[in-house]
Amino acid sequence: MHEIGSDIDLAAAFAASPNPYMLLTPDLRYAGMNQAYMQAVGVAKREDLIGKPIFDVFTAGDGAEAPESVRLLRASFEKVLDTGQPDHIALIRYAMPSGPDGAFEDRYWSATHTPVKNSSGELTYILQHTSDVTELELLRRQAGAAERPFVVSALDAIIGGDLLKRARIVQEDNRRLEIERSRLVEMFMQAPGFVAVLSGPNHQFQLFNEAYRRIAAYRDLKGKTVEEALPEVRDQGFIDMLDSVYQTGEPFQGRNVLVQIARPEGGAPIESYLDFIYQPIRDDSGSVVGIFVQGFDVSDAVLSAERQRLMIDELNHRVKNTLATVQSIAMQTARSHQDPQTFAESFQSRLVALSHTHDLLTRSHWEGADLRDILQHETVVHDEHRVVLNGPAVPLEPAAALSLGMIFHELATNAAKYGALAHEQGRVFIDWSVANQNDRTLTLVWREEGGPPVVVPDRRGFGTRLIERNIRHDLAGVVNLRYLTSGFTAEISFPLDRGRQFEPTA
């Protein structure tokens, strides 16, 4: 005698059963059916069904209810695929082809869909058991329309009495719940922040929205654990955080937390700053079974705050340096001018020169200033035909711009008092060039002609000391001041690529 569970007996029982059965693959294609099913749906040969998608073969016709019938049947199949559990349809109106002319006949069915799994627990088929209850349903409706409650009750008893009625109610409730679930899932997927649902102690992804995929660099997350999908986050402490929430049942909240996700193409990782919460998910007994992840990418806010902090630090640094410069100018000017009036005039002119350079830097948001613009600012009070500028555009760092602004002010002031600009025929020629593009060096020559006879000063004034100190200390350059009979000349040379770390100190 064969064992009841053998494949031969099962296949024979399947084929010989008077109840309609059919098998679908997970992609909803016919894999098998018995003779009773073929008779129920009006198909003569198995070849007409095997391998074909069920909804290509049976479309429910072109009636107004056809789309809803197809949706209801498809939803039942998908529920079995998603949950691995059986699903029931108490009553469904599903039209079937009734003849060669392509006409459809309304039929009423009751169906049960059961998952068939292999030894590994994987769903391999869906088994459908279908009952055609068309005649009973139509008869029941006719009796109801004729107001014959006794007949209706009798038919209810034949097809299950209140059981069918309750099944219909459950089916409608399930439909409403499914609609609500779909709406919740849609809201979940469209949430402005990132959200995900993780299950089990290994934190397996069950659900996640587009914002979460974006944070995760669009990795393949479905069905994977966090560590499988994002192995780099273990060393960043995120797995430990999840483990703690799962084990203790206490939520965890992070603020401005940096996460680094490796790029698929290599190179520097993608950095994001996150505000998030890990909230434990509990079952009916209160045990933690998963974790709900919700948060926002706050990278823009964090980086903006960091930029603001750097700007404030930079501003404080500049203010301190400016105050130090003003203090130095005041002390040095006071040593050179005993008379209060001449001190005030000289001190004010130097502050104005410092202010001019600050204005230029402010226009560029303190990114720097061009050498020609600084020269024009400091010589603008003189006839433009008497000051000749010749050289290429040279962008300067803020520190170099401030130092050169003070230097050119002193040179122009001395030229106006004692040099070429003190004489109507005098002129100043300023030429500059940049050498060695790999390690750029600026060379500038200030040359005066046509002024009064040059007198070599018997002492080094504040202007001379400021020029020499700024060039040597602040610009790491060299300067050569020459008092020639043909006119005063200043030769200045310094490197351009020293960076922003050098700030003027007068």
Side-chain angles (χ1 to χ4, degrees):
M1 187 175 80
H2 292 294
E3 294 181 7
I4 293 177
S6 70
D7 291 341
I8 297 175
D9 285 345
L10 288 176
F14 178 81
S17 173
N19 297 313
Y21 288 98
M22 66 90 165
L23 283 173
L24 289 179
T25 60
D27 61 350
L28 305 184
R29 292 176 180 270
Y30 279 104
M33 69 287 301
N34 65 359
Q35 189 64 34
Y37 180 85
M38 296 173 61
Q39 292 174 354
V41 298
V43 174
K45 297 185 296 183
R46 284 184 173 82
E47 292 75 12
D48 293 338
L49 298 179
I50 295 295
K52 296 182 179 180
I54 185 172
F55 293 110
D56 286 356
V57 178
F58 299 114
T59 62
D62 54 3
E65 295 185 7
E68 178 59 21
S69 298
V70 171
R71 189 207 66 79
L72 183 61
L73 185 58
R74 185 186 296 275
S76 181
F77 291 143
E78 291 176 350
K79 186 174 181 180
V80 175
L81 292 172
D82 289 341
T83 66
Q85 299 296 320
D87 188 57
H88 309 279
I89 300 179
L91 190 68
I92 180 173
R93 180 178 180 178
Y94 206 97
M96 304 295 291
S98 62
D101 58 353
F104 281 81
E105 178 185 4
D106 281 341
R107 307 295 293 176
Y108 293 88
W109 309 85
S110 179
T112 297
H113 299 135
T114 304
V116 179
K117 300 180 181 180
N118 61 18
S119 58
S120 301
E122 299 172 333
L123 191 151
T124 55
Y125 298 103
I126 298 175
L127 175 66
Q128 183 192 70
H129 172 216
T130 311
S131 296
D132 187 343
V133 295
T134 304
E135 285 74 13
L136 292 176
E137 177 64 16
L138 293 178
L139 186 59
R140 182 181 180 280
R141 294 188 178 198
Q142 291 171 4
E147 296 183 355
R148 300 172 66 184
F150 176 78
V151 177
V152 173
S153 298
L155 289 171
D156 278 345
I158 293 173
I159 59 176
D162 289 340
L163 181 62
L164 181 57
K165 180 179 180 181
R166 289 196 298 270
R168 288 173 178 162
I169 294 173
V170 170
Q171 181 174 311
E172 288 301 314
D173 288 342
N174 286 339
R175 181 182 175 187
R176 286 193 293 271
L177 287 173
E178 183 64 25
I179 292 173
E180 292 178 7
R181 177 182 177 277
S182 298
R183 289 174 179 171
L184 287 174
V185 170
E186 184 177 358
M187 292 173 60
F188 180 96
M189 298 303 292
Q190 295 180 357
F194 60 86
V195 287
V197 174
L198 311 176
S199 68
N202 294 326
H203 321 302
Q204 185 180 44
F205 284 102
Q206 296 297 317
L207 199 62
F208 47 85
N209 68 349
E210 187 67 14
Y212 194 100
R213 290 188 66 241
R214 185 166 57 250
I215 293 293
Y218 296 98
R219 300 274 183 88
D220 179 16
L221 306 178
K222 187 175 182 180
K224 294 183 178 181
T225 66
V226 173
E227 189 163 11
E228 289 171 344
L230 304 165
E232 62 268 43
V233 303
R234 170 167 283 286
D235 291 339
Q236 299 175 50
F238 290 93
I239 303 297
D240 292 338
M241 298 176 199
L242 290 168
D243 288 344
S244 176
V245 173
Y246 194 89
Q247 293 163 8
T248 67
E250 296 293 328
F252 176 86
Q253 186 169 9
R255 292 186 61 82
N256 299 345
V257 179
L258 174 65
V259 60
Q260 297 177 315
I261 302 299
R263 298 177 185 271
E265 67 276 11
I270 302 171
E271 295 188 344
S272 302
Y273 289 90
L274 310 177
D275 281 357
F276 64 91
I277 186 168
Y278 291 156
Q279 187 74 36
I281 302 172
R282 301 179 185 273
D283 60 15
D284 294 340
S285 66
S287 300
V288 176
V289 294
I291 296 176
F292 179 71
V293 180
Q294 190 271 333
F296 294 90
D297 185 343
V298 294
S299 300
D300 290 344
V302 171
L303 295 177
S304 177
E306 178 65 15
R307 284 193 295 269
Q308 186 176 23
R309 186 189 66 78
L310 292 175
M311 288 176 62
I312 292 174
D313 290 346
E314 180 78 5
L315 179 61
N316 288 335
H317 185 56
R318 290 172 187 166
V319 169
K320 289 179 181 179
N321 279 335
T322 301
L323 291 175
T325 301
V326 171
Q327 183 182 28
S328 177
I329 291 173
M331 293 175 62
Q332 296 294 334
T333 304
R335 292 174 186 173
S336 304
H337 298 273
Q338 301 298 323
D339 178 56
Q341 182 175 355
T342 58
F343 163 79
E345 292 175 353
S346 181
F347 181 61
Q348 182 179 5
S349 68
R350 284 165 177 155
L351 288 185
V352 170
L354 186 63
S355 173
H356 283 168
T357 309
H358 271 259
D359 287 343
L360 282 176
L361 292 172
T362 300
R363 294 176 193 172
S364 69
H365 303 287
W366 278 78
E367 293 294 326
D370 188 79
L371 174 62
R372 181 181 294 272
D373 292 337
I374 298 172
L375 283 166
Q376 288 176 336
H377 260 72
E378 299 307 329
T379 59
V380 68
V381 296
H382 308 288
D383 186 347
E384 62 179 4
H385 298 294
R386 300 180 64 195
V387 179
V388 181
L389 307 179
N390 180 39
V394 180
L396 299 169
E397 299 282 0
L402 288 169
S403 292
L404 287 175
M406 296 298 298
I407 291 168
F408 296 149
H409 171 76
E410 295 301 326
L411 290 173
T413 299
N414 289 338
K417 287 183 177 179
Y418 316 112
L421 299 180
H423 194 282
E424 292 183 358
Q425 302 301 318
R427 303 177 73 189
V428 176
F429 297 89
I430 307 172
D431 300 280
W432 67 90
S433 61
V434 177
N436 190 358
Q437 295 301 315
N438 293 326
D439 187 14
R440 299 181 307 153
T441 300
L442 174 69
T443 299
L444 182 143
V445 177
W446 176 291
R447 181 166 52 88
E448 300 181 16
E449 292 183 2
V454 177
V455 178
V456 180
D458 54 1
R459 65 182 181 85
R460 293 170 67 251
F462 169 64
T464 301
R465 292 196 300 274
L466 183 146
I467 292 171
E468 292 177 343
R469 187 178 187 282
N470 277 19
I471 292 174
R472 291 170 183 168
H473 180 269
D474 295 335
L475 300 177
V478 294
V479 59
N480 185 16
L481 306 179
R482 304 170 63 192
Y483 299 89
L484 306 175
T485 55
S486 58
F488 171 78
T489 300
E491 298 176 355
I492 300 170
S493 179
F494 66 91
L496 286 172
D497 300 319
R498 297 184 69 216
R500 297 176 179 269
Q501 66 269 33
F502 299 96
E503 293 284 351
T505 59

